[in-house]
Amino acid sequence: RSSKKIRKKALEKLNSAKEKGPGRTIRVRFDGVVNGKMPWTFKPVQKTVDTKVGEATLVFFEAENLSDHAITGVSTYNVNPPKAGLFFTRFSRFCFEEQRLRPHEKVDMPVFFSLIQTLTTTNFSNIATILLWRTHFLR
């Protein structure tokens, strides 16, 4: 599974998932960490992206197994401010799914998301930046 093939497939999915009528722009920041003694690096390829409410967005996280043997991991995610988590819609992700990397393998992991339209209403209209961070754990 090469990174080029993964990126190409992810971009094809993104193009088919684009939604019409996007709203205002929100900045989304990304962070990635590994927990415990997991011998991986795990980081976002893009540190930030500006996306419009209602628009499908594609970002990548990069994982690399630094060890001499295959390692299986799983990730979780968090959103800050917490109330913004109600408006994140994920189309495709690796979160909660096991990811097995061969020794010294490096892969791109695509994440498609959208911020749903109601983010622009009520007391959520003051959100300008959202942080999405993922933590990868040894499985």
Side-chain angles (χ1 to χ4, degrees):
R1 62 183 172 177
S2 77
S3 288
K4 285 184 181 182
K5 287 181 184 177
I6 290 171
R7 282 181 183 258
K8 182 179 178 187
K9 187 175 180 180
L11 288 169
E12 288 170 359
K13 281 179 96 173
L14 174 68
N15 289 333
S16 68
K18 288 283 187 181
E19 295 178 15
K20 295 183 179 179
R24 70 184 177 95
T25 300
I26 303 283
R27 174 158 288 176
V28 182
R29 294 185 306 125
F30 305 97
D31 196 10
V33 297
V34 292
N35 190 339
K37 297 181 180 183
M38 187 173 191
W40 284 19
T41 59
F42 181 65
K43 60 186 178 187
V45 174
Q46 304 95 332
K47 292 286 188 184
T48 63
V49 67
D50 292 332
T51 186
K52 293 191 180 291
V53 173
E55 181 177 76
T57 303
L58 171 65
V59 297
F60 290 91
F61 281 75
E62 179 184 276
E64 182 177 10
N65 180 354
L66 303 174
S67 77
D68 292 329
H69 57 281
I71 302 280
T72 301
V74 66
S75 74
T76 61
Y77 75 95
N78 288 293
V79 176
N80 198 26
K83 65 183 178 182
L86 299 170
F87 302 100
F88 251 88
T89 301
R90 293 168 316 283
F91 302 127
S92 176
R93 70 219 182 270
F94 52 88
C95 194
F96 306 119
E97 298 173 4
E98 290 185 354
Q99 301 293 320
R100 185 167 185 82
L101 297 185
R102 296 183 305 267
H104 304 284
E105 181 179 19
K106 183 188 287 188
V107 298
D108 288 332
M109 298 178 173
V111 176
F112 298 97
F113 70 90
S114 178
L115 301 170
I116 59 175
Q117 292 287 353
T118 56
L119 181 60
T120 61
T121 62
T122 66
N123 61 340
F124 300 103
S125 61
N126 62 345
I127 295 174
T129 302
I130 297 171
L131 172 63
L132 171 68
W133 77 91
R134 304 179 94 62
T135 304
H136 228 92
F137 298 88
L138 192 57
R139 187 66 172 187

